[in-house]
Amino acid sequence: QVQLVESGGGLVQAGGSLRLSCAASGRTFRSYTMGWFRQAPGKEREFVAAINWSGSNTYYSTYYEDSVKGRFTISRDNAKDTMYLQMNSLKPEDTAVYYCAAGSLSGTYSVHPRHYDYWGQGTQVTVSS
């Protein structure tokens, strides 16, 4: 059982930065693959980034949608049960509701929302031009 709460969204000008946080409850945090998705008006929910630990838990891997590579950074602090998405060089097309997600993916990741079991309520990110 995992409860997720996002925060950090807001209004920012193009080229600016925001950092989203996802606080997770439950002591099974390390066993879950965590991801960020976003959904703009009139569009389907799409993958942004994911992070997962290796089977040995000696390292983690990150994955990014092509349009955010080099601009966004996903990270995970297991001690704080918190995941972050640092968003730099924001563009108007980044405007969306951003959702935190968790799934039991056994050391892998998925770009498909249906593979994630737990979701936060979303936080609005608006980038003005």
Side-chain angles (χ1 to χ4, degrees), residues 3 8 14 16-18 20 22 26 55-57 64-65 76 79 87 102 117:
Q3 300 290 326
S17 299
L18 286 172
L20 306 183
C22 173
S56 64
N57 283 344
Y64 298 93
E65 193 272 325
R76 181 173 178 172
M87 305 185 294
D117 303 309

Side-chain angles (χ1 to χ4, degrees), residues 77-98:
D77 188 337
N78 289 333
K80 296 182 178 180
D81 290 344
T82 302
M83 179 178 65
Y84 305 94
L85 184 68
Q86 178 67 47
M87 305 185 294
N88 299 325
S89 301
L90 283 162
K91 305 175 181 179
E93 52 263 43
D94 295 318
T95 295
V97 176
Y98 283 70

Side-chain angles (χ1 to χ4, degrees), residues 22-126:
C22 173
S25 63
R27 298 310 303 160
T28 60
F29 182 77
R30 286 181 60 92
S31 67
Y32 284 87
T33 296
M34 304 292 294
W36 289 97
F37 291 77
R38 65 187 181 186
Q39 187 166 21
K43 296 184 178 181
E44 296 181 351
R45 190 167 299 187
E46 67 175 1
F47 173 78
V48 177
I51 185 167
N52 69 276
W53 290 94
S54 68
S56 64
N57 283 344
T58 57
Y59 67 94
Y60 62 87
S61 298
T62 58
Y63 312 89
Y64 298 93
E65 193 272 325
D66 286 342
S67 68
V68 308
K69 288 181 179 178
R71 299 189 299 120
F72 291 11
T73 302
I74 188 172
S75 61
R76 181 173 178 172
D77 188 337
N78 289 333
K80 296 182 178 180
D81 290 344
T82 302
M83 179 178 65
Y84 305 94
L85 184 68
Q86 178 67 47
M87 305 185 294
N88 299 325
S89 301
L90 283 162
K91 305 175 181 179
E93 52 263 43
D94 295 318
T95 295
V97 176
Y98 283 70
Y99 296 91
C100 173
S104 299
L105 299 175
S106 299
T108 65
Y109 82 104
S110 175
V111 302
H112 302 295
R114 59 186 171 88
H115 292 152
Y116 292 80
D117 303 309
Y118 304 99
W119 295 85
Q121 81 284 1
T123 185
Q124 177 71 48
V125 172
T126 302

